[in-house]
Amino acid sequence: MPELPEVQSTINILQPRLVNQTIRGLTVRTAKLRLPLDQKLSHVLVGLKIQSVTRRAKYLLINTLLGSIVIHLGMSGSLRIVNLHEPAQKHDYVDLEFENSILRFTDPRKFGAFLWLKNHALAGHKLFVNLGLEPLTDEFNAQALFLVTRNRKMPIKQFLMQNQFVVGIGNIYASESLFMAKINPTLAAGKISLRQCQELVKQIKIVLHQAIELGGSTLKDFIKPDGKPGYFANNHQVYGRTGKPCLKCDTTIEKLVLAGRSTFFCPKCQPK
DNA sequence: CTCAGATCCTGTGCGC
DNA sequence: TGCGCACAGGATCTGA
């Protein structure tokens, strides 16, 4: 899936195409996503007009005056806009139908989610209530990161990937940001200095902004909402580059496993 | 409270 | 060419 840049790119493409469109129907082809999908949702949605398409963490929000359709792409989900009567493929699980087009949700691994939340239920919902700061805001800064990491023994990479303090940093961009900030991914979060926090925050913002500008990264099977294939791993410094030379110092890139997730780093640029 | 590990599900790619 | 196994972008739950 999609990390934050892919979700944001999806939104950037969907927003102009969906705003002011009126929902004509909903077709659901599975009940089992990460969260159960209400098969009778169609009655609620038909007739509602899309006001905006926004994002919170990696949740994509299609907003109407009454509430929001909340979509999470999980590990393998994608959205695209197709013509009416375009036949559904194997893992096409939800269609949101408009007058002249369909927004189609595909998710082979079914780790994603598609649900409806009324306005009053949105902010307090369990999916949203424990989410941390958006990484591209001023609230996510070095001072805040420094304070919240004190006494934490968890490796900094895992800490970044939790959503409690900062959201939207997934497995790819955690490795990439730490490389750019020259911080070893196994370093205990509580051990990073204020100066390292400054560099890390700065690099996280740069890396995410760049990926968004590129139109969302790098997934070989990532399909943008217009149906065109996405980019493929062209810009990664360390992710997926085990055994290849570091682009800055030529040292061989290494891989290790942290909390069950592959982690890539340069042992010379990111010393312990 | 903190943290490690298992878990949901399917597809792909590798070594044999 | 076919088969089995390891691994994959996330997030949540359990239990030590």
Side-chain angles (χ1 to χ4, degrees), chain A residues 16-86:
Chain A
R17 298 209 193 195
L18 296 190
V19 168
N20 287 331
Q21 297 267 339
T22 299
I23 298 171
R24 299 296 188 198
L26 179 80
T27 300
V28 176
R29 301 188 192 83
T30 181
K32 283 211 68 169
L33 294 174
R34 176 159 67 95
L35 296 172
L37 207 167
D38 182 1
Q39 305 270 0
K40 290 176 287 188
L41 204 50
S42 186
H43 295 293
V44 181
L45 299 183
V46 168
L48 293 179
K49 188 195 274 190
I50 307 304
Q51 303 294 316
S52 63
V53 184
T54 58
R55 179 183 64 72
R56 173 70 175 113
K58 291 173 189 163
Y59 293 94
L60 191 148
L61 307 175
I62 299 176
N63 306 301
T64 73
L65 289 178
L66 294 186
S68 301
I69 295 168
V70 177
I71 300 173
H72 195 290
L73 300 176
M75 295 266 257
S76 59
S78 64
L79 289 166
R80 63 191 196 282
I81 291 175
V82 299
N83 295 325
L84 293 179
H85 312 302
E86 173 93 15

Side-chain angles (χ1 to χ4, degrees), chain A residues 160-224:
Chain A
L160 292 176
M161 288 183 64
Q162 293 189 286
N163 286 326
Q164 292 170 16
F165 172 64
V166 59
V167 300
I169 302 171
N171 202 37
I172 295 177
Y173 298 109
S175 281
E176 291 294 303
S177 305
L178 287 164
F179 171 77
M180 295 303 291
K182 302 187 192 314
I183 297 170
N184 190 285
T186 64
L187 183 65
K191 298 282 189 184
I192 63 172
S193 66
L194 182 56
R195 181 162 287 278
Q196 285 177 312
C197 287
Q198 286 166 350
E199 192 59 22
L200 185 52
V201 166
K202 178 180 158 191
Q203 294 301 336
I204 286 169
K205 291 175 195 265
I206 290 174
V207 165
L208 292 177
H209 272 303
Q210 280 179 346
I212 292 168
E213 271 178 37
L214 278 173
S217 172
T218 48
L219 303 192
K220 59 176 178 257
D221 58 352
F222 181 65
I223 298 172
K224 293 197 291 180

